[in-house]
Amino acid sequence: MQERDDEVLLRVRDLHVQYDTDAGTVYAVNGLDLTIRRRHTVALVGETGAGKTTTALSILNLVPDPPGRIVGGEILLDGQDVLRFDTERLQQMRGNDVAMIFQDPMTALNPVMTVGEQIAESIALHNDVSESEALRRAKEMLRLVGIDDGRSGEYPHQFSGGMRQRVVIAIALACKPRLLIADEPTTALDVTIQAQQLVLIKDLITNGGMSMLLITHDLGVVAETCDHVAVMYSGRIVERGTTAEVFNDRLHPYTQGLFNSLPNLRKQGEELQPIKGMMPNPMEKTVGCPFAPRCEYVYERCLIEEPALLARGSAHAVACHKYDDQSRG
């Protein structure tokens, strides 16, 4: 189903990103298409090296150059191409329109500034407010994420990992962005704290009317948090749909493999079924379907022609020749 433009907050079209290294060119993102509707949460899932974080950095036009280059495509925020923004417009967009929570809260925070100062700095950067008003709002944000505002004068090292992540969330949401990008936001936390943080993030974006792109490899997190899911492999989207569609009717062999490699409490004692083989070398351009070398359903056509995303329902789509009758002809 094609979304109406007024329903869409972000639309990524045919995105290509490369990294030029001494060893050669790394083809990180290869023709990616992604749509995020207003007030919707979308998960981007896949193995390490699939290109998820590079996609997130591209949305903010933060791919480090050098060595990275966005070599093709469009990233449309409210219909305007982020890749054409000048420096001033980009600075305005980051934080105001789109904010990002990074993986490691300790490296995301300045160790020599108090947490209150860091949140206030973000607020002052995007709003014409006094220092005292920025600090007042910073304390308000701390309370919003469940931290006593009396701790605003403390430094990051005085907080636990879970509390530091709450501070990072407070900074990201301080200017009420329309899109929150969360890149593996709970990776460094233990399981109990992970669950608390995810509930917090979900509540904050729901109450704030925001959209979210959640980058993760954890399918359990997706089930609890997101409306839609896009499965990424070798720099491409290979399956997308509502979370219920993708979880209940896994079409792509890679998606099936991701689920089969998870522990299942109803099948205790059975061995896990990891996906055979390795992801393609990102320094080599693939011919045909990038998943073909690992796929049990491979056709001759898979080896020579890359499959396009085929609609299999109102929101469900899959890039696999298995669902195209021409492959069996």
Side-chain angles (χ1 to χ4, degrees), residues 84-327:
R84 297 181 181 273
F85 286 179
D86 60 23
T87 301
E88 183 179 351
R89 180 68 183 92
L90 280 173
Q91 289 177 342
Q92 182 186 27
M93 178 199 75
R94 296 168 186 155
N96 250 358
D97 298 314
V98 185
M100 187 165 177
I101 300 172
F102 293 92
Q103 290 187 30
D104 187 347
M106 201 59 209
T107 59
L109 294 172
N110 187 332
V112 298
M113 288 178 68
T114 68
V115 297
E117 288 172 339
Q118 294 185 59
I119 302 170
E121 181 182 57
S122 177
I123 293 168
L125 184 64
H126 296 284
N127 298 272
D128 185 16
V129 296
S130 66
E131 186 177 330
S132 60
E133 173 62 13
L135 190 56
R136 185 194 69 78
R137 292 193 194 179
K139 291 180 178 180
E140 196 174 82
M141 288 304 304
L142 283 175
R143 292 194 298 271
L144 190 65
V145 298
I147 298 177
D148 186 334
D149 63 17
R151 302 192 66 184
S152 64
E154 296 182 16
Y155 292 87
H157 74 270
Q158 295 174 276
F159 290 79
S160 67
M163 286 296 190
R164 286 196 294 266
Q165 188 64 291
R166 286 174 182 254
V167 173
V168 171
I169 293 168
I171 293 172
L173 300 184
C175 296
K176 300 179 181 177
R178 290 177 293 153
L179 174 63
L180 176 67
I181 301 173
D183 185 3
E184 301 276 10
T186 60
T187 296
L189 307 176
D190 65 54
V191 175
T192 303
I193 303 300
Q194 281 184 23
Q196 294 173 1
Q197 302 293 60
L198 289 166
V199 169
L200 172 65
I201 292 171
K202 187 175 181 180
D203 287 347
L204 289 171
I205 63 171
T206 300
N207 295 333
M210 287 178 277
S211 301
M212 180 174 71
L213 176 64
L214 174 67
I215 295 171
T216 184
H217 62 275
D218 189 328
L219 294 168
V221 167
V222 176
E224 292 291 328
T225 313
C226 295
D227 307 311
H228 291 75
V229 57
V231 181
M232 192 169 183
Y233 184 79
S234 190
R236 306 155 175 84
I237 301 298
V238 296
E239 185 168 358
R240 69 182 182 208
T242 67
T243 302
E245 284 175 328
V246 174
F247 275 51
N248 296 328
D249 187 18
R250 307 152 200 165
L251 298 177
H252 199 280
Y254 177 63
T255 309
Q256 294 167 7
L258 288 178
F259 278 86
N260 290 340
S261 63
L262 295 175
N264 189 328
L265 293 178
R266 288 174 293 185
K267 298 180 179 179
Q268 294 187 44
E270 292 188 13
E271 290 187 8
L272 299 182
Q273 301 174 43
I275 304 172
K276 296 178 181 178
M278 300 289 290
M279 195 179 294
N281 184 343
M283 298 183 71
E284 297 176 1
K285 278 196 168 183
T286 57
V287 177
C289 174
F291 191 66
R294 307 172 74 180
C295 183
E296 61 180 298
Y297 307 107
V298 63
Y299 301 96
E300 183 178 346
R301 184 182 178 194
C302 303
L303 303 175
I304 57 175
E305 182 183 337
E306 183 177 342
L309 274 168
L310 302 171
R312 301 293 293 179
S314 60
H316 207 173
V318 61
C320 180
H321 291 310
K322 180 183 176 185
Y323 301 97
D324 184 346
D325 290 338
Q326 294 182 49
S327 300

